[in-house]
C-alpha cells in the first residue's frame, strides 16, 4: 500500500466530523467497506443498541456503497438507531474518514487481507475486526486491535465499548498499529521481492 498517500489525506479528518456536526470529543465508530453481505455490516448495526446503551453519545459512520445499502438503511430504521448511524456513500477521501474515527470496525464474515485495516493502523486508529481470513496476519489480537468471532453483535459491542471507555488502551493499540503498518507498505513489498529474486539468482 502507498502509505504516504494515506497519511496525506489524514488532515481531512476534522472536516468529516464537522460535516456531521459532531464535536471532537464525540465517540465516533466507523468503517469503510463495500456494502455487501460478506462485509458483515448487519452485525455491526445489530451491535449499535448495546453500544449506545454503554456509550450513549456514540455515533457510527459507514462509508462505502453497494447493493445492500437500502437493506442496511432499513435495518437501521427498524433498530431505532437512525439518528446515530450515518451512511456516507462512496468516498474518495476514505483515509480522511478513517482518520476522523476513534475506533475502526471491520465485521467481515470473510476477508482476504483487509487493506482498510492497514489504513486505520497507519493513521493510529485502533481496530476491532473479526478473526477471519487474512485479518490475523494484519492485526495481532490485543496489540494493534481486538479480534472477535464473526457474526457476533455481542462480541462487537463488547470490544468497541471497551476501546471507547478506555482511551489509554485505545491510544496504545493505535500507536502499535502505526508502528506495524509500514510492514504492508509498497516500499517493504518491493524490498522483499528484490531479496527474493536475489536469493533465487544465488
Amino acid at each position: 500500500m502507498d502509505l504516504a498517500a494515506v497519511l496525506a489525506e489524514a488532515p481531512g479528518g476534522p472536516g468529516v466530523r464537522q460535516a456531521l456536526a459532531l464535536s471532537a470529543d464525540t465517540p465516533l465508530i466507523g468503517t469503510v467497506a463495500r456494502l455487501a453481505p460478506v462485509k458483515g455490516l448487519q452485525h455491526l448495526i445489530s451491535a449499535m443498541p448495546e453500544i449506545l446503551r454503554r456509550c450513549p453519545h456514540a455515533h457510527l459512520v459507514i462509508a462505502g456503497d453497494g447493493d445492500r445499502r437500502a437493506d442496511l438503511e432499513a435495518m437501521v430504521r427498524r433498530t431505532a438507531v437512525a439518528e446515530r448511524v450515518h451512511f456516507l456513500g462512496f468516498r474518495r477521501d476514505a483515509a480522511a474518514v478513517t482518520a476522523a474515527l476513534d475506533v475502526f470496525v471491520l465485521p467481515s464474515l470473510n476477508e482476504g487481507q483487509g487493506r482498510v485495516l492497514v489504513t486505520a493502523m497507519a493513521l493510529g486508529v485502533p481496530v476491532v475486526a473479526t478473526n477471519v481470513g487474512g485479518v490475523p496476519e494484519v492485526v495481532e489480537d490485543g496489540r494493534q486491535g481486538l479480534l472477535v468471532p464473526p457474526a457476533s453483535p455481542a462480541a462487537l459491542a463488547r470490544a468497541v465499548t471497551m476501546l471507547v471507555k478506555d482511551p489509554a488502551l485505545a491510544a496504545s493499540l493505535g500507536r502499535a498499529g502505526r508502528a506495524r503498518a509500514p510492514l504492508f507498505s509498497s516500499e517493504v513489498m518491493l524490498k522483499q521481492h528484490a531479496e527474493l529474486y536475489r536469493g533465487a539468482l544465488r
Side-chain angles (χ1 to χ4, degrees):
M1 291 185 60
D2 182 357
L3 296 186
V6 168
L7 296 175
E9 276 190 23
V16 174
R17 282 179 174 264
Q18 290 169 7
L20 296 170
L22 301 178
S23 66
D25 59 355
T26 299
L28 189 57
I29 305 151
T31 191
V32 177
R34 180 169 47 92
L35 306 191
V38 72
K39 295 300 181 180
L41 297 173
Q42 65 274 23
H43 303 297
L44 177 56
I45 291 169
S46 293
M48 275 304 290
E50 179 61 16
I51 290 171
L52 290 173
R53 188 183 72 79
R54 301 185 187 190
C55 306
H57 302 295
H59 284 249
L60 169 67
V61 296
I62 298 173
D65 215 338
D67 55 12
R68 285 296 304 279
R69 178 166 179 170
D71 293 339
L72 293 171
E73 288 176 332
M75 184 178 180
V76 165
R77 291 191 294 270
R78 289 195 303 272
T79 52
V81 295
E83 293 184 358
R84 299 301 183 87
V85 179
H86 312 273
F87 287 86
L88 305 185
F90 173 77
R91 299 285 294 238
R92 295 191 181 278
D93 61 342
V97 173
T98 302
L101 304 177
D102 295 300
V103 181
F104 185 92
V105 185
L106 189 67
S108 298
L109 304 180
N110 190 24
E111 194 71 51
Q113 179 192 34
R115 289 167 56 89
V116 290
L117 297 174
V118 179
T119 295
M121 289 161 56
L123 296 171
V125 179
V127 167
V128 172
T130 43
N131 192 357
V132 297
V135 169
E137 298 177 25
V138 177
V139 179
E140 299 168 300
D141 187 25
R143 300 191 64 179
Q144 300 85 31
L146 303 177
L147 300 185
V148 302
S152 176
L156 284 170
R158 283 193 299 271
V160 168
T161 56
M162 181 185 299
L163 297 186
V164 171
K165 287 179 168 292
D166 191 342
L169 173 61
S172 175
L173 297 179
R175 288 191 298 270
R178 187 178 281 117
R180 183 170 172 77
L183 295 176
F184 304 94
S185 68
S186 53
E187 291 84 0
V188 169
M189 182 199 73
L190 291 171
K191 180 181 178 181
Q192 290 173 337
H193 275 70
E195 291 172 352
L196 179 64
Y197 282 120
R198 282 195 290 269
L201 288 171
R202 286 196 296 271

